[in-house]
Amino acid sequence: MAPACHVAALLGYTGIRSHAITSNCMKVLKHLPKTGQHLRTRRLSLGLTLRDVHVASLGLARELRKPAFVLPASRLHDIETKKITPSIYRLYTLARVYRCRLTELLSWYGIPPGTRD
């Protein structure tokens, strides 16, 4: 069975309205994972679109000569809206693009900062 949001999108062009479908979509949007909310808030505060982040990731991947740093817009959307944990390469990309420390991003995933021995 298709998720309610996808059903709503499919039904949108027919003019059929359903309160249940709209409510289910709103629940999904209201309950974004906490880390995803942090990432989305940071991205929007910088005035970046999903595509902007993707383009910046392409530049970083070229600079570092490693394709693992590329972050497709669709994957970033999934990271922001679902409980998907990005690879360390993509976390590094996000830290660079969002102009924050990698340790800050890691803390959003519950990883405490390292201690010095």
Side-chain angles (χ1 to χ4, degrees):
M1 185 171 176
C5 288
H6 295 291
V7 173
L10 291 173
L11 295 178
Y13 75 93
T14 64
I16 299 172
R17 294 211 179 258
S18 168
H19 177 69
I21 291 171
T22 305
S23 296
N24 287 340
C25 287
M26 294 309 292
K27 286 179 188 173
V28 171
L29 295 176
K30 285 181 184 176
H31 301 294
L32 295 177
K34 186 177 178 181
T35 305
Q37 287 177 332
H38 283 298
L39 291 169
R40 186 170 193 271
T41 300
R42 177 64 61 98
R43 178 175 59 79
L44 294 175
S45 72
L46 294 169
L48 298 172
T49 65
L50 294 171
R51 182 161 171 71
D52 292 334
V53 175
H54 172 67
V55 170
S57 77
L58 290 171
L60 181 62
R62 242 181 269 119
E63 174 190 327
L64 300 175
R65 298 178 186 195
K66 189 161 182 84
F69 291 101
V70 174
L71 184 54
S74 60
R75 180 48 99 186
L76 179 54
H77 178 266
D78 289 346
I79 291 167
E80 288 181 356
T81 61
K82 301 175 184 172
K83 291 186 178 186
I84 293 177
T85 304
S87 70
I88 191 67
Y89 297 103
R90 289 178 175 172
L91 282 170
Y92 181 80
T93 297
L94 289 171
R96 288 274 302 262
V97 174
Y98 292 178
R99 300 180 211 130
C100 65
R101 294 178 183 255
L102 182 58
T103 54
E104 180 182 359
L105 284 181
L106 292 174
S107 73
W108 296 347
Y109 284 93
I111 300 171
T115 58
R116 294 186 178 196
D117 294 333

